[in-house]
Amino acid sequence: MLEIQDLSVEVGGREVLHDINISVMSGYTNVLFGPNGSGKSTLLMTIMGFSGYKVTKGRIIFNGEDITNKSVSERAQTGIGLMMQRPPNLVGVQLGNLVKIMSKGRVKAEDLAEDLNLTGFLTRDVNVGFSGGEIKRSELLQLAAQNPCFVMLDEPESGVDIVSIEKVGKKVHELIRGTSCAGKSGAVGKGALVITHTGQILDYVNADRGYVMCKGTVACTGNPRELLHEIRTKGYDECISCNIGKKTLVKVKEEGAN
Amino acid sequence: MAVDSEIKKKAELAKHKKAAYGQDIDLDKFGIGRKDIGETKDLRELKEEDQKTLLNVGVVPSDEGRSGSFVLMDNSVVHEKQLGTGVEVMSLQKALKVHDWLQEYNWKAVKADADKYTARTFIEEADGYFIHALPGQKVKLPVQTCLMLKSQDVAQTVHNIIIIEEGAELEVITGCSTSKHVDEALHLGISEFYLKKNAKLTFTMIHNWAENIGVRPRTVVEMDEGAVYINNYIALKPVKTIQAYPTANMNGPNGVCVFNTVAIAHPGSEMDLGSKVMMNAPGCKAEIVSRTITTGGKMIARGLMVGAAKDVKGHLECKGLILSNKGIQIAIPELDARVPEVEMTHEAAVGKIAQDQIEYLMSRGLTEEEAVGIIVKGFLDVGIRGLPPALKEEIDATLEKVDLARM
């Protein structure tokens, strides 16, 4: 579904991602691990096509189509959606109105808000004065309304209180596992790429494959739960120092072509 | 009468006195506005296009839901109606005949010799509306007024007085517009508002002029103790030149004054819009908020707040968006503190829409044009929050018609 080939990316004139190779098959959820500043969010922003993230080498292929030079809108319309880590404030744009506009009235914002403990937020300006956890839930609400075929989540659980985490987890599960989705790739099925530090979100999604990123590149690949265990017990150093440059840390099952 | 002739002399001397701000307009080019347009008891009898013009500026032809209604076309009073109790609505010249005491308020807040525009309006003994909320009356339904330009190459001169007596509350919606067939004309509008102790006036003005219209309003609001004045100004359509700097003098303690401005400078328009608040008594609070856009015209957003008494608080905000390479945005916020115990702040920002906001919306599947449209509407919306819902709907509808995506 998504294939990233030898991707290098510059931000502010400095190369921050180097020779990334990642693929996500439809029906699969892949996870990105890595220390702060390793380039995980940059990768998701690049896949979404934000300006300021300049691809200097390599390609991004989505459902067989090269989208490396497509606009953000085109990527979204093909079925890619992103939950951002630090989305901008939209002063004067109410969350409920935005949901109405982006879903063209197909989705009931009130129901989604109730699912995510966000009733009362629909009349507030998007992200203005939202706490970290509220931003996460608002992002999820928008993503649920958008219902993309390929879901990218940037730390969906961070900052979310323990009462809301279950609702967030459930919503993420629905979002990734639902059978139908919007966008041109609707027929192909869903896929997801999720950034997590704590692994908490893995309780709610069946992650198939994990990548550990370090210093702007993929250091190792493997079973996400085993990778997480490794990171928890030994830190990131083990993975990076022993395996950087090697293909895989743990043998993963063969992936077929997209 | 001696005083009157004194003012008259001063006004004569000020006939060529240029205004402090705004491009100079040659008044000799414009004839006297017609005074012979016939009266209409029912605005629904007006031509359909005139009714539409009224509706576009929030004036309901049926007068439904209004406690008073007044329409001036050129210099002719065509409609004056008092529909509710607790408020008087009539033409100013008639009111001056009915109420001897009104002379005390006539040309007192605005000086006749302030500039050539006030001078001409004074010399022509211009008519306009007189709105008077009686003591303690909290008038529920708004009064509506419309000042319409009907003829080519004339200067409409208007003189309005609003008096809100002690403890009274009133809302006034006033729409200014140009009749369809008028290309070039001028509007000179003098407004004197007097708010007595604990009085409240919400004054919403919608300007809907046209490409070649010049506009020079002169407004002064005199406020007593505990008075509340809320001014909403909305100008979303093209105009040739407008220069306005309404002033509120907060003369009694604990008053509240708010100026909200929402305006778009289209290509060829020059808009010099300001608001001035003089906090002359202790405990007064004021807020000036302007949200302006240029799509190719020149926009000057001024704001001046003077703290001349202790424990006054004020905030001034000028935010401007530039949506075209040819547009100019100038923000001039000024704070003037004359005693130490004041708290005044200002915030000014001009520039284009942040790219990250546009792309954020694009990542939700919207096109770039849709994203820009939503952000711009949101930007303006902040300036007019708190407007009565019906009026808000009309303004939203106007905004829909302004092709923001094109910009």
Side-chain angles (χ1 to χ4, degrees):
Chain A
M1 185 174 208
L2 180 84
E3 258 193 87
I4 293 177
Q5 302 170 346
D6 300 321
L7 191 76
S8 293
V9 174
E10 258 182 34
V11 176
R14 198 169 62 91
E15 188 174 293
V16 287
L17 296 183
H18 331 279
D19 299 308
I20 304 249
N21 285 289
I22 276 180
S23 71
V24 184
M25 289 195 302
S26 77
Y28 281 69
T29 298
N30 291 4
V31 185
L32 286 176
F33 299 108
N36 296 332
S38 58
K40 305 181 297 297
S41 298
T42 302
L43 179 60
L44 297 199
M45 297 294 275
T46 307
I47 296 171
M48 197 69 242
F50 282 90
S51 58
Y53 299 82
K54 192 178 160 205
V55 174
T56 52
K57 192 162 79 74
R59 299 195 301 167
I60 304 168
I61 311 286
F62 186 63
N63 288 331
E65 191 186 356
D66 188 341
I67 59 160
T68 319
N69 297 312
K70 296 248 186 237
S71 74
V72 180
S73 297
E74 286 170 317
R75 294 181 203 215
Q77 283 155 10
T78 350
I80 302 177
L82 169 66
M83 169 199 269
M84 267 169 80
Q85 176 80 280
R86 271 187 291 275
N89 287 353
L90 297 181
V91 176
V93 182
Q94 293 183 0
L95 182 60
N97 279 345
L98 176 57
V99 169
K100 207 167 110 191
I101 294 164
M102 57 186 269
S103 72
K104 310 224 163 15
R106 278 182 281 109
V107 171
K108 267 197 143 175
E110 293 77 15
D111 296 347
L112 281 178
E114 207 180 312
D115 287 353
L116 286 163
N117 276 351
L118 281 173
T119 310
F121 281 73
L122 294 177
T123 50
R124 284 181 54 179
D125 290 355
V126 178
N127 301 328
V128 179
F130 287 18
S131 73
E134 286 160 359
I135 283 181
K136 288 290 141 76
R137 287 185 277 137
S138 145
E139 286 287 291
L140 199 51
L141 183 143
Q142 293 173 48
L143 218 49
Q146 192 181 352
N147 191 23
C149 294
F150 184 69
V151 184
M152 297 191 288
L153 307 173
D154 197 342
E155 295 186 46
E157 75 274 48
S158 82
V160 178
D161 64 71
I162 53 167
V163 180
S164 302
I165 187 81
E166 201 174 325
K167 292 195 167 188
V168 166
K170 223 178 120 204
K171 208 50 162 179
V172 166
H173 180 85
E174 280 173 25
L175 195 60
I176 294 178
R177 283 292 161 249
T179 46
S180 65
C181 56
K184 289 176 192 151
S185 51
V188 187
K190 287 193 169 188
L193 191 54
V194 181
I195 297 177
T196 179
H197 278 296
T198 64
Q200 232 178 331
I201 199 69
L202 300 183
D203 294 344
Y204 301 92
V205 297
N206 293 316
D208 301 290
R209 172 181 253 209
Y211 296 94
V212 180
M213 281 188 70
C214 175
K215 292 179 183 158
T217 197
V218 176
C220 48
T221 316
N223 176 299
R225 286 180 185 279
E226 287 172 19
L227 280 178
L228 186 65
H229 179 74
E230 192 93 352
I231 295 162
R232 273 195 181 138
T233 50
K234 299 173 187 158
Y236 286 111
D237 290 349
E238 188 73 6
C239 175
I240 294 155
S241 61
C242 302
N243 299 286
I244 200 154
K246 290 185 189 171
K247 276 256 165 182
T248 54
L249 172 72
V250 180
K251 195 170 164 44
V252 288
K253 58 184 172 187
E254 275 314 307
E255 275 189 4
N258 176 49
Chain B
M1 276 297 127
V3 179
D4 216 28
S5 64
E6 188 67 25
I7 298 178
K8 209 167 190 171
K9 216 187 279 170
K10 281 186 176 173
E12 285 291 341
L13 286 171
K15 264 167 79 176
H16 301 287
K17 185 177 169 186
K18 288 182 183 177
Y21 303 108
Q23 66 192 71
D24 191 49
I25 298 171
D26 180 6
L27 290 181
D28 295 336
K29 272 175 64 187
F30 298 91
I32 292 174
R34 279 178 65 188
K35 284 195 167 181
D36 58 352
I37 302 172
E39 202 172 328
T40 311
K41 288 267 176 263
D42 189 339
L43 292 174
R44 285 171 296 193
E45 285 165 9
L46 289 173
K47 272 194 256 165
E48 202 162 306
E49 60 176 58
D50 282 339
Q51 289 191 49
K52 221 177 187 174
T53 309
L54 291 175
L55 267 173
N56 283 340
V57 290
V59 176
V60 190
S62 67
D63 288 333
E64 222 176 276
R66 301 290 190 244
S67 64
S69 186
F70 178 91
V71 177
L72 189 79
M73 289 182 177
D74 286 349
N75 289 357
S76 316
V77 176
V78 300
H79 185 69
E80 48 181 329
K81 218 171 193 181
Q82 195 172 304
L83 297 143
T85 53
V87 61
E88 275 186 285
V89 179
M90 63 180 96
S91 79
L92 179 64
Q93 293 308 329
K94 189 190 277 181
L96 283 165
K97 288 188 191 103
V98 176
H99 300 301
D100 293 340
W101 54 264
L102 189 54
Q103 207 49 251
E104 268 177 58
Y105 299 87
N106 195 21
W107 290 102
K108 287 298 177 306
V110 175
K111 298 284 163 258
D113 61 344
D115 56 36
K116 62 191 197 182
Y117 311 112
T118 57
R120 172 146 170 183
T121 310
F122 177 87
I123 291 162
E124 284 190 10
E125 290 182 38
D127 210 346
Y129 53 76
F130 167 66
I131 300 171
H132 183 206
L134 304 177
Q137 297 290 327
K138 296 188 175 13
V139 184
K140 283 210 175 70
L141 299 174
V143 170
Q144 65 178 14
T145 77
C146 180
L147 312 171
M148 198 192 289
L149 284 169
K150 275 295 271 184
S151 311
Q152 178 75 14
D153 298 327
V154 303
Q156 177 183 51
T157 49
V158 187
H159 184 199
N160 308 310
I161 292 182
I162 297 180
I163 299 172
I164 311 293
E165 296 287 356
E166 186 170 335
E169 285 181 14
L170 183 67
E171 185 193 329
V172 174
I173 298 166
T174 189
C176 298
S177 62
T178 312
S179 191
K180 217 177 166 185
H181 311 287
V182 179
D183 179 34
E184 203 170 350
L186 191 61
H187 165 90
L188 308 176
I190 309 306
S191 297
E192 303 183 276
F193 300 166
Y194 300 90
L195 277 65
K196 301 296 179 63
K197 190 176 172 184
N198 298 327
K200 182 180 176 186
L201 173 63
T202 304
F203 184 79
T204 300
M205 187 194 270
I206 302 171
H207 271 183
N208 242 351
W209 303 108
E211 280 86 357
N212 287 318
I213 305 295
V215 183
R216 291 292 180 269
R218 298 292 180 256
T219 302
V220 176
V221 187
E222 299 290 347
M223 298 169 65
D224 285 353
E225 180 181 348
V228 177
Y229 179 66
I230 297 165
N231 185 97
N232 299 307
Y233 175 70
I234 297 133
L236 307 175
K237 295 284 181 65
V239 63
K240 186 180 179 193
T241 162
I242 176 161
Q243 185 268 313
Y245 211 160
T247 301
N249 293 315
M250 306 182 79
N251 305 315
N254 304 318
V256 175
C257 178
V258 179
F259 279 97
N260 294 316
T261 299
V262 167
I264 301 177
H266 296 262
S269 293
E270 181 172 327
M271 303 178 97
D272 187 328
L273 303 171
S275 309
K276 194 188 294 180
V277 180
M278 306 290 297
M279 292 188 280
N280 296 326
C284 283
K285 288 193 178 84
E287 193 177 53
I288 296 175
V289 177
S290 83
R291 299 259 167 177
T292 56
I293 288 177
T294 168
T295 62
K298 183 174 180 183
M299 174 69 75
I300 306 168
R302 298 176 197 275
L304 171 60
M305 210 169 250
V306 177
K310 63 177 189 145
D311 301 328
V312 301
K313 263 188 189 176
H315 181 65
L316 205 168
E317 195 178 303
C318 307
K319 291 203 172 156
L321 280 182
I322 306 180
L323 298 184
S324 151
N325 289 336
K326 290 187 184 130
I328 297 174
Q329 271 278 5
I330 303 171
I332 312 173
E334 287 178 85
L335 300 178
D336 176 349
R338 296 176 185 177
V339 293
E341 303 93 342
V342 300
E343 199 183 309
M344 296 193 293
T345 52
H346 84 65
E347 206 184 328
V350 292
K352 60 176 189 174
I353 303 173
Q355 188 64 19
D356 64 337
Q357 293 183 13
I358 298 173
E359 289 182 354
Y360 180 53
L361 288 174
M362 286 168 75
S363 79
R364 299 287 181 236
L366 304 177
T367 63
E368 187 170 359
E369 289 74 24
E370 287 170 331
V372 168
I374 289 170
I375 293 165
V376 168
K377 274 176 202 142
F379 171 82
L380 293 179
D381 195 52
V382 172
I384 45 176
R385 274 187 183 168
L387 276 189
L391 198 56
K392 176 86 173 42
E393 270 171 38
E394 275 154 33
I395 290 159
D396 284 345
T398 310
L399 268 179
E400 291 294 331
K401 282 179 225 151
V402 179
D403 187 5
L404 294 166
R406 176 178 54 84
M407 295 161 187

